[in-house]
Structures are given as structure tokens and as C-alpha cells.
């Protein structure tokens, strides 16, 4: 994304932004694929009786690398989860103040949004932007947004792969049990 100072500056100029960087900062690629609206997958904003998690997950699952899932203005009630994020697929709300994901769980998942990892792959090249995540009625997950799995101290054959190139932009996360945003074993997150 060329408007980002970390991604658009020559390496010699990067120290002006962050003297702690030892190598070029890698950003997620731009969205160049399709935009898929959660409405097309059955999401019904502002209807507390529905579980919009199903439509949101279906939209993410249907997306291909370099696609984005678009969420129009409204409150989306999430009753099952977590929402599993997918490498190369971005999630963009209409606006930070206009889109609210409200967790309403009877049995809390580890996070509302989760970028899973395994011993071979992480969740990479993801941008989440322009929405709020909050806890409504029910039990609270430990985190609003979580990437990675912290097995960094396990034997080499059990360690989980890094998640890389994660961008969180214009996001508000409130009211969770432990973490708003939890990043474990993640490289190049902004």
C-alpha cells in the first residue's frame, strides 16, 4: 500500500519512521480481487434475533486471495464463533463508527475474530479496517481480535508458523475479558 510510509520509503529512509526496524517493513498487499458484501451471504444488521456470524464466516470462506469482505453500516450480532480469518482476505467495514460487531455468546470462543495458525501455516496478508468490536450479552471471549498461537517455546517440531503482514486500521475493541487485540508469534503487524 503505497500511502503507508513504512511500505513506500527506501530502506535508508525507514529509520526516520522507526529506528527499531532492522529490515524493510512488509505490509499486506492491496485488495485487487472481488469485494463481497456480507449482505449477499444473509447478514441482517440490526436484528438481534439473527446470528450474523454465519453469514460473515460464509463470506470469508467464499473469498479468494486478494478479495475483501465488505460490511455495510449496522450492528451485527455474533452468537457463534470465532470468525476464522483467512490468509489474503481483508475485512472492511463501511466506517469505524457505523459498523459494530457485537459478541452475544452462550459459550465464549477464544476470540471474536481469530487468525489461526498451525505448525506449517499462519494467517498472512490480512487487513481489518473500519469497525468496532464489543461484547454484548452472554459470556465474554478472552480477546476481541487474535492472531497467532503462542507456542514459541515449544520444541521446534511443535512450534506454530508465524502470521505475517497484518494491518489493523480504524478499529475499536472494547469490553473483553483479557485482551482487546492479542498478537502471538506475529511478524509485521501494524
Amino acid at each position: 500500500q503505497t500511502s503507508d510510509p513504512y511500505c513506500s520509503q527506501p530502506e535508508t529512509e525507514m529509520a526516520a519512521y522507526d529506528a527499531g526496524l532492522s529490515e524493510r517493513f512488509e505490509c499486506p498487499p492491496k485488495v485487487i480481487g472481488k469485494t463481497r458484501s456480507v449482505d449477499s451471504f444473509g447478514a441482517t444488521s440490526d436484528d438481534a434475533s439473527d446470528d450474523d456470524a454465519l453469514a460473515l464466516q460464509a463470506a470469508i470462506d467464499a473469498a479468494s486471495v486478494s478479495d475483501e469482505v465488505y460490511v455495510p453500516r449496522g450492528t451485527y450480532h455474533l452468537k457463534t464463533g470465532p470468525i476464522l480469518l483467512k490468509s489474503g482476505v481483508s475485512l472492511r467495514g463501511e466506517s469505524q463508527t457505523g459498523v459494530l460487531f457485537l459478541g452475544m455468546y452462550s459459550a465464549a470462543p477464544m476470540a471474536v475474530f481469530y487468525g489461526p495458525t498451525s505448525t506449517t501455516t499462519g494467517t498472512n496478508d490480512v487487513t481489518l479496517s473500519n469497525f468496532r468490536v464489543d461484547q454484548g450479552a452472554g459470556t465474554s471471549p478472552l480477546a476481541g481480535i487474535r492472531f497467532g498461537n503462542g507456542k514459541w517455546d515449544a520444541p521446534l517440531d511443535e512450534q506454530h508458523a508465524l502470521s505475517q503482514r497484518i494491518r489493523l486500521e480504524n478499529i475499536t475493541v472494547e469490553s473483553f475479558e483479557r485482551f482487546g487485540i492479542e498478537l502471538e508469534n506475529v511478524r509485521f503487524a501494524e
Side-chain angles (χ1 to χ4, degrees), residues 33-183:
K34 295 179 182 177
T35 297
R36 301 172 182 272
S37 176
V38 294
D39 290 351
S40 300
F41 291 85
T44 54
S45 66
D46 304 320
D47 185 348
S49 65
D50 285 344
D51 182 3
D52 294 309
L54 303 173
L56 185 56
Q57 189 65 63
I60 291 169
D61 291 347
S64 298
V65 171
S66 80
D67 287 353
E68 79 174 351
V69 173
Y70 174 74
V71 184
R73 178 176 296 277
T75 298
Y76 295 86
H77 301 86
L78 308 178
K79 299 177 182 178
T80 54
I83 303 298
L84 298 176
L85 301 169
K86 185 175 175 182
S87 287
V89 175
S90 294
L91 178 64
R92 179 177 58 90
E94 182 175 318
S95 71
Q96 183 178 13
T97 57
V99 175
L100 172 62
F101 293 111
L102 192 60
M104 302 178 70
Y105 304 103
S106 57
M110 69 185 87
V112 176
F113 293 98
Y114 178 47
T117 60
S118 70
T119 55
T120 56
T121 60
T123 302
N124 304 311
D125 302 318
V126 173
T127 297
L128 304 180
S129 61
N130 302 332
F131 59 81
R132 295 175 296 144
V133 184
D134 204 341
Q135 179 57 35
T139 57
S140 176
L142 295 178
I145 298 170
R146 179 181 181 188
F147 279 92
N149 190 339
K151 291 198 168 199
W152 55 270
D153 60 345
L156 284 176
D157 62 336
E158 295 176 22
Q159 289 181 4
H160 282 229
L162 288 173
S163 289
Q164 300 185 77
R165 297 173 300 280
I166 307 299
R167 173 177 281 182
L168 305 175
E169 185 174 45
N170 299 323
I171 301 284
T172 302
V173 182
E174 300 179 306
S175 305
F176 289 92
E177 188 174 320
R178 298 189 107 192
F179 307 103
I181 299 169
E182 181 179 10
L183 303 174

